[in-house]
Amino acid sequence: MGVRKKTTDIRTYQRKWNMNIGVILFAVILVYVIVEILLSVTNRPTAYYEVGEGAIVKNVSYTGFAVRSEETVASTKDGYLNFFKPEESKLAKGQSVCAVSDDKLDLSSKEEDAGESQLTDDEKRQLLSSVRTFVDNYRESSFSEVYSVKNTVQNLYDKKTDQNKADRMRATLGEQGEGSYTLCQSPKDGILVYETDGYEDVTMDKVTDKMFDKSGYKRAESRENQKVSEGDDIYKLVTGEEWYLVVRMDADTAESLLKRSSVTIRFLKDDEEMVAGLQIEKKDKDTYYAYLTLDSGLVRYAADRYQDIEIQIENVNGLKIPKSAVVKKTCYQVPSEYVVSNGETGEQGVLIYEDGKTRFQAAEVYYTDTQKNLVCIDAKDLPAGTVIQMQNSNNTRSLTDTIRQSGVYEAGSGYAVFTSIDIAAKNEDYYITGNGVANQISNYDRIVLNAKDVKDDDILV
């Protein structure tokens, strides 16, 4: 009998799983990194803007028709015309203006003898004193004074040249002998203008649309050694201090100026600014005339019938806010007595009256108008028709009419906090805040630039 082999019973056991904390931590970190990468790719970072002072200036360009007190002067004889004074010189009554001579005047032979480029010792000392004073007191902040020195030098040489020219003319006329010329004297005080254009007698009430058409404008200019006949207009005098510009403008611009009695205008010829009196008159459905009254600057513009100007429609200074930073909230304006504070949380809100009982409802207060005794409260949790009650009183009122309050998200605290602003002006890209009670923002405050990307009380990073 053979020996029976003993069989071995081999069973497979499932291995017991051991938790590996390292793998779990790695998985958590991996998921976190993936989520952060996705968020950084899909979300735009919050951009900020530091509030600063600025201005919005709106100018409209026009061509004005000049109306002045003008008087033409005619020649008393036939001959050749020459002036003692340059155009736009101020003349006194009885002062010699020009001469009409039988023959042309040849002043070329007198130029070298006159030595017009040579200054006297007194004139040199005057010029040197002006330059030294400027150099000794020069500051970069007052660079514009360079132009004042330039004008001083230019006026000195102009005066010298004018005097030399007058001396040469008198010497030449003396050589021709008395009776060969006639001196023209100014009949009154005024500003000398060589041109005449036929509009010298026009008054403001006689200005027509046709006069604004420069294409047909003609003027007669008097020139040196020009042949003239007796009775010809040879120059004109602009008298008086007050003068006018008539401007034709569209209805929208005119209506924006109707309540104003003056405007600031800038002359494009030399960038000078002046304040002009303003009157507006409606001519037809779409056309208005603006009458601008000026009492200075006449000597600079006496020779120009048409003046290219800019009228300052708007010039508002305040805090400059990008339009993208502004959001609007719906709110109610209610008497300040209706706003109460929650004694437990310190929140502000109102008491809602329902079924003979009151309950507290939190509502953010955007601003308080102490003069009108009004507050502006958020309408988010207060639907139209809600009845609120004054504390310790039976007085109630129904919330009906809402307003849209503009504001920005102030970021100084690390949270998006709505802060109301008062808008005084705007252009395509910016608002300028006013000084109203709704303006709760300050210079140098940090605000969210893209307001649509955040919500109230969002954490800002």
Side-chain angles (χ1 to χ4, degrees):
M1 183 174 178
V3 179
R4 187 176 181 181
K5 291 182 179 180
K6 186 177 180 181
T7 60
T8 302
D9 187 10
I10 299 175
R11 298 181 181 180
T12 303
Y13 292 92
Q14 185 176 2
R15 290 184 63 185
K16 186 176 181 181
W17 181 79
N18 293 322
M19 182 175 65
N20 190 325
I21 190 66
V23 173
I24 295 175
L25 288 175
F26 177 79
V28 170
I29 293 173
L30 180 62
V31 171
Y32 174 79
V33 170
I34 293 173
V35 170
E36 286 296 317
I37 292 174
L38 291 175
L39 289 176
S40 64
V41 171
T42 57
N43 292 341
R44 290 191 303 170
T46 302
Y48 301 99
Y49 175 84
E50 186 177 273
V51 177
E53 295 181 352
I56 287 180
V57 179
K58 181 181 178 182
N59 295 332
V60 182
S61 297
Y62 293 103
T63 296
F65 182 88
V67 177
R68 301 172 285 246
S69 176
E70 301 173 349
E71 180 178 320
T72 59
V73 179
S75 175
T76 58
K77 65 171 290 183
D78 298 344
Y80 294 91
L81 176 66
N82 283 276
F83 286 93
F84 290 106
K85 296 289 185 180
E87 190 171 43
E88 296 184 343
S89 296
K90 288 186 175 181
L91 302 176
K93 181 179 179 181
Q95 188 173 359
S96 294
V97 180
C98 61
V100 179
S101 58
D102 294 337
D103 301 314
K104 285 187 177 182
L105 299 184
D106 183 10
L107 304 179
S108 58
S109 62
K110 303 291 183 182
E111 291 184 5
E112 295 182 3
D113 296 337
E116 63 181 59
S117 61
Q118 299 298 318
L119 299 177
T120 65
D121 291 340
D122 287 341
E123 291 168 337
K124 290 178 181 178
R125 281 193 292 270
Q126 177 185 347
L127 180 59
L128 184 60
S129 176
S130 298
V131 174
R132 281 180 174 171
T133 300
F134 169 75
V135 172
D136 292 342
N137 297 282
Y138 175 75
R139 299 290 184 275
E140 290 186 3
S141 59
S142 59
F143 179 78
S144 60
E145 293 181 8
V146 171
Y147 299 101
S148 177
V149 176
K150 174 190 172 185
N151 292 335
T152 300
V153 176
Q154 188 66 49
N155 291 337
L156 183 61
Y157 274 97
D158 287 346
K159 182 179 179 181
K160 184 72 173 179
T161 301
D162 296 343
Q163 183 60 48
N164 287 333
K165 178 184 176 183
D167 292 341
R168 294 198 309 271
M169 281 184 58
R170 288 188 175 92
T172 304
L173 291 171
E175 292 175 0
Q176 292 189 359
E178 293 186 9
S180 63
Y181 63 90
T182 298
L183 293 180
C184 306
Q185 295 180 328
S186 175
K188 59 176 62 177
D189 297 346
I191 300 169
L192 172 63
V193 177
Y194 288 167
E195 301 90 358
T196 58
D197 57 10
Y199 290 139
E200 285 76 19
D201 294 329
V202 173
T203 55
M204 285 198 297
D205 59 320
K206 294 181 180 179
V207 176
T208 64
D209 284 351
K210 185 179 179 181
M211 294 179 183
F212 290 99
D213 183 9
K214 296 172 64 176
S215 62
Y217 177 68
K218 296 180 180 179
R219 60 182 181 179
E221 182 179 359
S222 299
R223 301 181 303 276
E224 298 290 332
N225 273 321
Q226 175 183 339
K227 179 67 174 177
V228 295
S229 301
E230 182 179 353
D232 290 347
D233 289 333
I234 53 177
Y235 70 91
K236 68 181 175 186
L237 284 175
V238 179
T239 60
E241 293 295 331
E242 194 170 72
W243 60 294
Y244 312 91
L245 286 175
V246 183
V247 172
R248 185 175 55 181
M249 62 177 52
D250 60 273
D252 291 339
T253 305
E255 289 173 1
S256 69
L257 297 171
L258 283 176
K259 295 182 180 180
R260 298 173 62 173
S261 59
S262 64
V263 289
T264 299
I265 64 175
R266 183 171 71 91
F267 290 85
L268 302 186
K269 176 181 178 180
D270 53 11
D271 284 336
E272 287 290 330
E273 288 190 356
M274 296 184 191
V275 176
L278 174 66
Q279 287 184 322
I280 293 180
E281 179 181 338
K282 186 175 183 180
K283 289 297 183 180
D284 55 44
K285 181 180 179 181
D286 299 316
T287 304
Y288 289 75
Y289 279 7
Y291 300 98
L292 305 171
T293 304
L294 299 129
D295 57 8
S296 63
L298 182 56
V299 68
R300 290 198 298 271
Y301 314 110
D304 301 316
R305 180 64 62 188
Y306 295 95
Q307 297 289 342
D308 293 325
I309 62 171
E310 282 185 348
I311 297 180
Q312 192 177 91
I313 305 298
E314 188 175 44
N315 186 4
V316 180
N317 295 284
L319 299 179
K320 194 174 183 179
I321 308 291
K323 283 190 171 182
S324 63
V326 177
V327 293
K328 290 188 176 182
K329 298 283 189 178
T330 302
C331 65
Y332 297 104
Q333 281 187 324
V334 299
S336 56
E337 292 85 359
Y338 282 88
V339 176
V340 298
S341 295
N342 188 318
E344 297 179 358
T345 64
E347 292 179 297
Q348 288 186 305
V350 293
L351 297 176
I352 296 179
Y353 181 81
E354 290 179 328
D355 302 326
K357 298 180 180 179
T358 59
R359 61 179 177 86
F360 175 80
Q361 175 62 55
E364 185 175 353
V365 176
Y366 293 141
Y367 66 85
T368 301
D369 187 342
T370 56
Q371 292 184 345
K372 296 182 179 180
N373 197 34
L374 294 174
V375 294
C376 181
I377 59 174
D378 189 4
K380 180 176 62 175
D381 298 320
L382 298 170
T386 300
V387 178
I388 60 175
Q389 182 173 327
M390 189 184 300
Q391 190 176 25
N392 301 324
S393 173
N394 293 325
N395 294 340
T396 61
R397 68 183 292 131
S398 179
L399 301 178
T400 54
D401 298 330
T402 61
I403 63 173
R404 297 283 287 170
Q405 178 57 45
S406 299
V408 297
Y409 283 117
E410 201 270 330
S413 63
Y415 294 86
V417 179
F418 180 82
T419 305
S420 66
I421 61 173
D422 180 58
I423 297 175
K426 64 180 179 179
N427 59 18
E428 293 80 5
D429 302 311
Y430 291 92
Y431 292 111
I432 294 294
T433 64
N435 297 320
V437 294
N439 191 52
Q440 305 296 307
I441 202 74
S442 300
N443 199 16
Y444 305 117
D445 279 353
R446 192 163 170 257
I447 63 176
V448 176
L449 181 60
N450 301 313
K452 65 180 181 180
D453 294 338
V454 300
K455 298 179 181 179
D456 289 355
D457 300 323
D458 276 358
I459 298 176
L460 303 174
V461 294

